[in-house]
Amino acid sequence: MFAPVFAQLDAVLAETRHFWQFMPFSVQPDEWQAQYPALYQWLNSLSDEQMAELLDDPQALAFQLAPYIPQAQQLYRLSQVEGLARIERIAPKGLDIGIPGRKWQQLQAFNGALPALNLPWLEWCAGKGYLGRVLTATHQTPVVSLEWQQALCDSGAAAAEKLKLAMTFVQGDAFSADSEQYIHAGQHAVALHACGDLHVSLLQRVASKQGQAVSVSPCCYHLIRDKSYQPMSRLAQQSELALSKHDLRLPLQETVTAGNRVKNLRFVEVSFRLGFDSLQKHIQATDEYMPVPNVQKALLNDGFEAFCRWAAEKKQVTLPDNIDFAYWQQVGEQRFGWVEKLELVRQLFRRPLEMWLVYDRACFMEESGYQVTVGTFCDKPITPRNLLIHAELKQ
Ligand SMILES: C[S@@+](CC[C@H](N)C(=O)[O-])C[C@H]1O[C@@H](n2cnc3c(N)ncnc32)[C@H](O)[C@@H]1O
């Protein structure tokens, strides 16, 4: 029963929302200095090394934040989940052809965490059907793989033919009424890393058809068609929390798999954006944060001035002559430091918010008559989106 843990997480996330439900770019240091002086002082005392260590260690972060956010350790405890028991299912030789190493490890782990129900499979948003390939080969039951992109269907079908696997690819839109025809009661439906509404649509359709079993590993919670999050379970529908797409990005913001290059790119891009924002505030005599659209990463190599000229054109800001770009770049870099500190605080809520979303899905399946398990199917370095929701219709 996931309702009690959901209710606890919900209450704590609601009462602490001022620490995570905001846009870090638009919060000024003096606001926090006035509202949370002790926390502000602690954040400012941290060295870059200490910040990096805390980002990598959620338990230590919760411990360190507890004097300032009393719910910190409770949040950490509530977001802990068990690793699922796994069986090693040996795949036939050559099955991994064309599959990148880390993906292969994910597939093995995901398959190992699924019970063998001896049912045909439906693979939702299959890509090239890598998961379906492993499932049909190790369970000896056929798989139907639904995928939107024809090229991926073709590539998957060609591989399946070569490997002599019982796979059928269908090109289809997971959201269309037409794709419902592929969902049957006597089936085990799976979705590995189907984004946002795509895995939600599978859970809803399986529940409405009372399909026997469904297993999903959610990702990209923010990729939804509505403006804001639509809770699935009755419990979550009663929650005080209203989640924007920005909030829904929080569960994905972690640095475990980000290499130095990614971290550097982030430093350059974010500090350029913040430097430009400070500059435009100065020119236009405003306090309002100005968001700038996505930028081609190559433009960042042309330097801060080029970025500002591009952003000014996009946002129709007239830049006066004689701007001291070096100065505004430095302002941006300083603001980057502050944004990083706010992001460190928000990290405390990252996994709890993800668990809130996952338990919403679990509660929805329970409300629909299913026995549900939730746990991790692999360690984070293999994929940070390592949660698995498995639901089986109660007899
Ligand atoms: C993140 S990939 C996951 C692929 C695969 N399950 C895996 O783990 O490798 C998501 C897949 O969903 C597909 N997709 C996106 N929108 C879709 C839709 N409306 N209907 C069906 N598939 C869709 C994409 O083309 C992509 O192949």
Side-chain angles (χ1 to χ4, degrees):
M1 284 286 291
F2 291 99
V5 64
F6 177 86
Q8 284 183 58
L9 259 180
D10 185 55
V12 184
L13 283 171
E15 69 194 29
T16 53
R17 69 188 124 185
H18 44 287
F19 287 117
W20 58 270
Q21 203 169 33
F22 60 85
M23 302 278 226
F25 282 10
S26 56
V27 173
Q28 297 303 323
D30 49 357
E31 287 172 43
W32 270 46
Q33 189 175 17
Q35 278 174 35
Y36 319 112
L39 174 56
Y40 177 82
Q41 203 176 12
W42 177 74
L43 286 171
N44 277 329
S45 75
L46 295 174
S47 66
D48 286 353
E49 291 71 31
Q50 286 169 320
M51 298 258 303
E53 274 169 29
L54 289 173
L55 274 175
D56 270 351
D57 187 346
Q59 189 170 13
L61 179 64
F63 180 78
Q64 295 275 335
L65 279 173
Y68 319 106
I69 305 176
Q71 301 89 338
Q73 305 223 51
Q74 190 188 4
L75 278 164
Y76 176 76
R77 275 194 304 276
L78 287 171
S79 65
Q80 293 306 294
V81 268
E82 301 270 303
L84 295 166
R86 274 176 13 205
I87 296 171
E88 201 180 336
R89 300 202 161 95
I90 310 285
K93 255 194 151 174
L95 202 75
D96 58 347
I97 186 151
I99 303 181
R102 204 187 300 164
K103 187 83 214 169
W104 181 248
Q105 287 178 295
Q106 282 174 31
L107 300 169
Q108 299 281 85
F110 190 89
N111 185 24
L114 299 181
L117 302 175
N118 203 26
L119 292 167
W121 302 95
L122 171 66
E123 185 187 16
W124 201 245
C125 304
K128 292 183 182 174
Y130 291 155
L131 176 62
R133 198 194 282 189
V134 173
L135 295 176
T136 186
T138 57
H139 295 260
Q140 279 86 42
T141 43
V143 55
V144 170
S145 301
L146 179 119
E147 165 58 41
W148 170 245
Q149 296 183 54
Q150 185 66 55
L152 300 184
C153 292
D154 293 345
S155 158
E161 204 182 306
K162 242 190 218 158
L163 293 162
K164 300 193 175 23
L165 296 174
M167 294 185 82
T168 310
F169 279 82
V170 282
Q171 187 278 324
D173 178 0
F175 296 130
S176 76
D178 198 44
S179 60
E180 261 172 44
Q181 63 178 301
Y182 302 108
I183 298 179
H184 302 297
Q187 190 180 49
H188 188 165
V190 291
L192 173 60
H193 297 161
C195 306
D197 273 350
L198 290 169
H199 69 262
V200 167
S201 76
L202 180 64
L203 294 174
Q204 284 166 334
R205 286 168 173 207
V206 169
S208 89
K209 289 210 177 178
Q210 293 285 281
Q212 215 161 313
V214 58
S215 313
V216 303
S217 168
C219 77
C220 302
Y221 302 94
H222 61 292
L223 295 181
I224 54 174
R225 287 164 300 167
D226 282 290
K227 268 203 154 151
S228 60
Y229 184 66
Q230 306 298 311
M232 295 184 73
S233 62
R234 283 195 292 277
L235 204 58
Q237 282 160 10
Q238 291 157 14
S239 169
E240 275 179 44
L241 288 178
L243 302 176
S244 67
K245 285 187 188 173
H246 172 73
D247 301 330
L248 294 171
R249 280 177 186 271
L250 179 58
L252 307 172
Q253 278 177 22
E254 65 185 319
T255 48
V256 175
T257 49
N260 272 342
R261 205 188 135 267
V262 176
K263 286 183 195 158
N264 267 337
L265 253 184
R266 189 176 126 73
F267 170 74
V268 172
E269 177 167 357
V270 176
S271 61
F272 279 14
R273 283 176 182 279
L274 293 170
F276 173 75
D277 180 59
S278 294
L279 171 63
Q280 71 79 21
K281 278 181 177 146
H282 174 73
I283 294 170
Q284 307 198 110
T286 170
D287 273 344
E288 223 160 281
Y289 176 72
M290 179 180 275
V292 170
N294 280 341
V295 59
Q296 295 264 339
K297 302 295 174 234
L299 180 73
L300 300 174
N301 294 332
D302 297 345
F304 180 65
E305 180 173 344
F307 175 83
C308 288
R309 298 208 180 280
W310 168 84
E313 195 189 310
K314 285 273 169 215
K315 301 301 286 189
Q316 290 166 351
V317 176
T318 310
L319 296 180
D321 295 338
N322 303 328
I323 294 174
D324 184 352
F325 285 103
Y327 168 77
W328 292 108
Q329 180 170 357
Q330 204 185 7
V331 170
E333 287 170 8
Q334 272 164 8
R335 278 185 68 190
F336 176 84
W338 171 240
V339 167
E340 290 286 275
K341 293 186 196 310
L342 292 176
E343 292 291 12
L344 178 69
V345 175
R346 292 183 84 232
Q347 280 292 308
L348 172 68
F349 303 90
R350 190 189 54 70
R351 195 65 157 180
L353 185 60
E354 180 165 25
M355 292 318 301
W356 186 98
L357 292 163
V358 165
Y359 290 144
D360 177 29
R361 286 147 176 76
C363 289
F364 166 77
M365 293 309 287
E366 284 185 339
E367 288 168 8
S368 309
Y370 287 77
Q371 176 85 41
V372 183
T373 42
V374 169
T376 55
F377 65 94
C378 64
D379 293 335
K380 282 205 165 169
I382 297 178
T383 171
R385 298 281 74 71
N386 61 355
L387 291 162
L388 174 62
I389 306 167
H390 173 74
E392 264 178 67
L393 195 59
K394 286 186 191 156
Q395 294 308 318

